[in-house]
Amino acid sequence: MTAAALLREAPRQPAFERAALVTLFTVFLYADRWTSRLADVLPLPVVIGGTLAVIAAAIAFRCQRRPAFWLALAGAMFAALLGTWWTTDDHVFLIAYWVLALGLAALEEDPAAALARHARLLLGLVFLFAALWKLLSWSYVSGGMFHYQLLVDPRFARLTQLTGAVSAADLAANFAHVDALRREALPGATLTSAPIVGTLAAILTWATLAIEGSLAALFLLPERTVPAWVRDGVFLSFLVGTYLLAPVLLFGVLLVAMGIAQARPRAATAYLVALVWVYLMAVFFSASFAR
Amino acid sequence: MTRLWRWLPAIVLCAVVLVQRVHVYGRTLTPWMGAGFSMFTTTDDPFARHLRCTALAADGSELFRSARPTRTLSAAMLHLPTPSRLAPIAAELAGTRCDAPPDIAREVRRVRVDVWSLDFRAADATVLPRLVAGVERDVP
């Protein structure tokens, strides 16, 4: 790998360009962790203006097509992860793997095809491991994990509330019981539940396992053996369903970037709609939890 | 470009997953962290992790138990509680005798500092604490 190859500009390909620009947006969201700290010491307009200037400069210099840009970014991300890996969420690692994949793909003769291969492989592995660890966990397969989340996690408790079986006051009390258990070293706490919550937990448990297992197979099987519309359809359904319940903005936008990289050109619009969906759900949830 | 470079992101992902599983199964890491892609597999999430301090008498019997709000702790200590990470807070809590009331504090000879998680028993919707790791230290 020569310096000239690293610094060259990959040929313009719409599929690669779309994925690279959505990834830049993801990196911009990720950078919010530092910009919010900068905002403590610098005036907010300066921080916002500076961040936008960096992104604009990156696009103006066509950094999104340059291997050196992505590889340097990946290097910085891995360096940042080294000292804090055990306190870091999965999707932050996935950004680093994906940025590395962009850099390596930009070095290839056909960057779009190379990036599509990286996307399918990384997404397939993510869903394979996600499904495998769930299948091996008794807490998960017994339905206990989702049953617990439906009673104490505000995101899932909304679903419980829709059943009408457990009131909002009881759900708030459940959360208070668990919080007290942690804060006051209590021996245990019994939560308010209802039989339908167990049924709902069982549905969520097996539906999640089914869709994650399916996505692992769809992305890891040889490309020609699975019609692209099936892969995109199932993945888009996953994005819409998951982010209706648990909208983690950064993870959602990253999955859209990876999805768009491997999608047929006709499906690209659907992924951009999914990007808007993920963003709106995150804003909606963030506003509703702030109330 | 060699074949190895083409597989590099996937190889790194698998290697990190392997490291994460070793730490989950053998070293008390919460499955929700560290890039094993095992969020939502158990109730042992970062929110469930908490610290408890137990004040012990000379004969080892429990005199007092208190919990420390997690905001006073580092996430690193709760997510992957190793003896070396727990040692400084054990030293701090030995000094305060787990914040026991003065009449009990006089009897305290040793403190135990444990990180606990939460298990859920669906049959009766009960949340139960589960010990993850801990260290003991004599009071000064």
Side-chain angles (χ1 to χ4, degrees), chain A:
Chain A
M1 205 185 293
T2 63
L6 287 172
L7 293 170
R8 74 165 194 157
E9 185 182 325
R12 188 179 190 285
Q13 293 177 303
F16 185 89
E17 198 81 355
R18 274 192 296 268
L21 289 175
V22 177
T23 306
L24 265 185
F25 179 53
T26 315
V27 172
F28 174 72
L29 291 173
Y30 174 62
D32 175 59
R33 292 166 182 229
W34 287 292
T35 50
S36 58
R37 285 178 204 166
L38 277 176
D40 291 338
V41 289
L42 292 171
L44 192 60
V46 173
V47 175
I48 293 173
T51 309
L52 289 176
V54 169
I55 297 286
I59 295 171
F61 288 105
R62 296 186 292 276
C63 287
Q64 74 271 23
R65 282 183 231 156
R66 296 186 194 276
F69 171 74
W70 293 113
L71 294 176
L73 197 56
M77 286 179 169
F78 281 117
L81 285 170
L82 269 180
T84 57
W85 69 269
W86 65 94
T87 59
T88 304
D89 287 318
D90 295 346
H91 56 272
V92 177
F93 279 85
L94 192 56
I95 296 175
Y97 306 145
W98 180 239
V99 166
L100 174 64
L102 271 156
L104 293 173
L107 286 165
E108 302 261 7
E109 290 303 313
D110 185 349
L115 191 63
R117 195 187 62 240
H118 281 299
R120 280 191 298 275
L121 185 55
L122 289 175
L123 286 168
L125 288 171
V126 165
F127 287 112
L128 176 70
F129 287 123
L132 180 64
W133 306 140
K134 286 183 175 73
L135 204 56
L136 293 177
S137 163
W138 173 248
S139 173
Y140 184 85
V141 293
S142 68
M145 194 286 302
F146 267 124
H147 194 155
Y148 174 75
Q149 300 294 342
L150 285 163
L151 295 178
V152 301
D153 185 327
R155 296 170 298 181
F156 292 94
R158 287 166 174 268
L159 207 56
T160 309
Q161 217 179 320
L162 283 178
T163 67
V166 184
S167 69
D170 284 336
L171 289 168
N174 282 345
F175 182 83
H177 288 322
V178 174
D179 200 37
L181 200 155
R182 294 162 61 248
R183 291 178 180 278
E184 294 164 27
L186 302 176
T190 300
L191 308 180
T192 303
S193 184
I196 197 172
V197 181
T199 308
L200 197 56
I203 293 169
L204 283 173
T205 296
W206 296 106
T208 304
L209 201 52
I211 197 161
E212 289 186 350
S214 304
L215 284 167
L218 292 172
F219 283 119
L220 291 177
L221 283 171
E223 190 192 353
R224 290 176 197 283
T225 60
V226 180
W229 67 267
V230 174
R231 205 165 33 230
D232 289 328
V234 176
F235 190 40
L236 285 163
S237 307
F238 171 83
L239 286 171
V240 170
T242 301
Y243 289 89
L244 189 61
L245 278 178
V248 181
L249 180 60
L250 200 53
F251 211 164
V253 175
L254 175 64
L255 290 179
V256 169
M258 297 174 79
I260 218 167
Q262 59 78 49
R264 299 157 298 149
R266 278 195 299 176
T269 312
Y271 278 97
L272 292 175
V273 172
L275 176 70
V276 174
W277 169 261
V278 166
Y279 194 76
L280 287 179
M281 283 298 107
V283 170
F284 168 74
F285 270 77
S286 143
S288 87
F289 284 127
R291 277 205 298 270

Side-chain angles (χ1 to χ4, degrees), chain B residues 41-96:
Chain B
T41 56
T42 75
T43 55
D44 180 16
D45 61 25
F47 175 77
R49 294 276 174 117
H50 60 286
L51 195 92
R52 294 180 174 197
C53 181
T54 309
L56 305 169
D59 63 357
S61 59
E62 287 189 15
L63 293 170
F64 182 77
R65 183 180 279 191
S66 69
R68 270 259 162 143
T70 51
R71 62 188 153 76
T72 63
L73 304 168
S74 69
M77 192 182 293
L78 293 174
H79 295 173
L80 183 56
T82 58
S84 61
R85 292 206 179 103
L86 292 175
I89 199 147
E92 180 194 330
L93 291 172
T96 65

